[in-house]
Amino acid sequence: MSIMRRSTASPTARTKALCAAGAAMMLALAAVSLLVGRYPLSLAKLLAGDGMQWRVLTTLRLSRTLVGLAGGFALGIAGFVYQTVFRNPLASPDIIGVSSGASAGAAAGILFMSGAAAVTISAFAGAVAAVVLALALAGLDRSGRSGTIVLAGIAVHSLAQTALMCLKLTADPERELASIEYWIMGSLNGVSAHAIGGSLVLCLVCVAALLLLHRQIILLSAEEGEARTLGVNVGLLRLAVLLIATLTVAGVVSLTGLISFVGLLAPHGARLLTRNNRLGTMLLSGFLGAVILLAADILARSVAATELPVSIFTSLIGAPFLLTLLVRGRKEA
């Protein structure tokens, strides 16, 4: 009976309802994120004009919440792009070396530079360098096959991991090595208002570009021969889309460190819920990504006396959620 009721609603109406629910949940968690932390904020005190409450809100919580919201949304959108382009629901930013490149860049920043801004810039540069190298290696194969990019990404990932291990060996075990390991685990702690502007603007511009290119991105999920008959320059379009998606991820991880599972789970869950691969599913991927990252960050700063890495909670939230969606999808099939 429930299956019959679901079948009466059009896919568009179903997707709109899911996107509305995802957006509402995202905004609700953003509101909670502004108030929760080691120094809890009170809406009554904020409205009364308490100076300390307002300073905490404007200097710490607001920037952190913006990064959680925009970063999660961007990771969800980028994950959708990777999975669509590679026609693989398990594809993620790691597939072309962006995460490992960011890790090596951040480690170099921690060892040879000073200040959070320097580490952020180094991580971003490492991520971009990794994807440029991967795409350059893939460009040596004139066939334009997506499998070539994957192989190039694996090679770049291995190279970046080797560089990261060498940097760890030269790090001071008591200070620098601990900082490198903590960055790799991912955290929104330490995100400040003066350091997020450039990365957030880059993320928003790249996400807007990917949304505008959604028709072309979905065309890339078709067989290459079919896409070419529709007049699509598959190789050039794939490279452009992957570069934009990678810049999106680089902007996020340069601020937060490596955040596992979000870019993998959000689009996969969105497809299971909407049962299609359209623009609405792409938007829902972003909303789910923001929900996961905001919820994980709230837990990371509230369940223990000291702040825990966000990736612990993205995995704890993500794995059961993905299993639930898989079981539900099988029952409704």
Coordinates of all heavy atoms in Angstrom, one line a residue, residues 97-98 100-106 121-131:
G97 N 43.6 11.9 -6.1 CA 44.8 12.3 -5.2 C 44.6 13.7 -4.5 O 45.6 14.1 -3.9
V98 N 43.4 14.3 -4.6 CA 43.3 15.6 -4.0 C 43.5 15.6 -2.5 O 44.2 16.5 -1.9 CB 42.0 16.3 -4.4 CG1 40.8 15.4 -3.9 CG2 41.9 17.7 -3.8
S100 N 45.2 13.4 -0.6 CA 46.6 13.1 -0.2 C 47.5 14.3 -0.5 O 48.5 14.6 0.2 CB 47.1 11.8 -0.9 OG 46.9 11.9 -2.3
G101 N 47.2 15.0 -1.6 CA 48.0 16.1 -2.0 C 47.8 17.2 -0.9 O 48.8 17.9 -0.5
A102 N 46.6 17.4 -0.5 CA 46.3 18.4 0.6 C 47.0 18.0 1.9 O 47.6 18.9 2.6 CB 44.8 18.5 0.9
S103 N 47.1 16.8 2.2 CA 47.8 16.3 3.4 C 49.3 16.6 3.3 O 49.9 17.1 4.3 CB 47.6 14.8 3.6 OG 46.2 14.5 3.8
A104 N 49.9 16.3 2.2 CA 51.3 16.6 2.0 C 51.6 18.1 2.1 O 52.6 18.5 2.7 CB 51.8 16.0 0.7
G105 N 50.7 18.9 1.5 CA 50.9 20.3 1.5 C 50.7 20.9 2.9 O 51.5 21.8 3.3
A106 N 49.8 20.4 3.7 CA 49.6 20.8 5.1 C 50.8 20.5 5.9 O 51.2 21.3 6.8 CB 48.3 20.3 5.6
I121 N 47.0 27.7 3.2 CA 47.5 28.0 1.8 C 48.3 26.8 1.3 O 48.2 26.4 0.1 CB 48.3 29.3 1.8 CG1 47.5 30.5 2.1 CG2 49.0 29.4 0.4 CD1 48.2 31.7 2.3
S122 N 49.2 26.2 2.1 CA 50.0 25.1 1.7 C 49.1 23.9 1.4 O 49.4 23.1 0.4 CB 51.0 24.7 2.8 OG 51.9 25.7 3.0
A123 N 48.1 23.6 2.2 CA 47.2 22.5 1.9 C 46.4 22.7 0.6 O 46.3 21.7 -0.2 CB 46.2 22.3 3.1
F124 N 46.0 23.9 0.4 CA 45.3 24.2 -0.9 C 46.2 24.0 -2.1 O 45.8 23.4 -3.1 CB 44.7 25.6 -0.9 CG 44.0 26.0 -2.1 CD1 42.7 25.6 -2.3 CD2 44.6 26.8 -3.1 CE1 42.0 26.0 -3.5 CE2 44.0 27.1 -4.2 CZ 42.7 26.7 -4.4
A125 N 47.4 24.5 -1.9 CA 48.4 24.4 -3.0 C 48.7 22.9 -3.3 O 48.9 22.5 -4.4 CB 49.7 25.1 -2.7
G126 N 48.8 22.1 -2.2 CA 49.1 20.7 -2.4 C 48.0 20.0 -3.1 O 48.2 19.1 -4.0
A127 N 46.7 20.3 -2.8 CA 45.6 19.7 -3.4 C 45.5 20.0 -4.9 O 45.3 19.1 -5.7 CB 44.3 20.1 -2.7
V128 N 45.7 21.3 -5.2 CA 45.7 21.7 -6.6 C 46.8 21.1 -7.4 O 46.7 20.6 -8.5 CB 45.7 23.2 -6.7 CG1 45.8 23.7 -8.1 CG2 44.5 23.8 -6.1
A129 N 48.0 21.1 -6.8 CA 49.2 20.5 -7.5 C 48.9 19.0 -7.8 O 49.3 18.5 -8.9 CB 50.4 20.6 -6.6
A130 N 48.3 18.3 -6.8 CA 48.0 16.9 -7.0 C 47.1 16.6 -8.2 O 47.3 15.8 -9.1 CB 47.5 16.3 -5.8
V131 N 46.0 17.4 -8.3 CA 45.1 17.2 -9.3 C 45.6 17.7 -10.7 O 45.3 17.0 -11.7 CB 43.7 17.9 -9.0 CG1 43.8 19.4 -9.2 CG2 42.6 17.3 -10.0

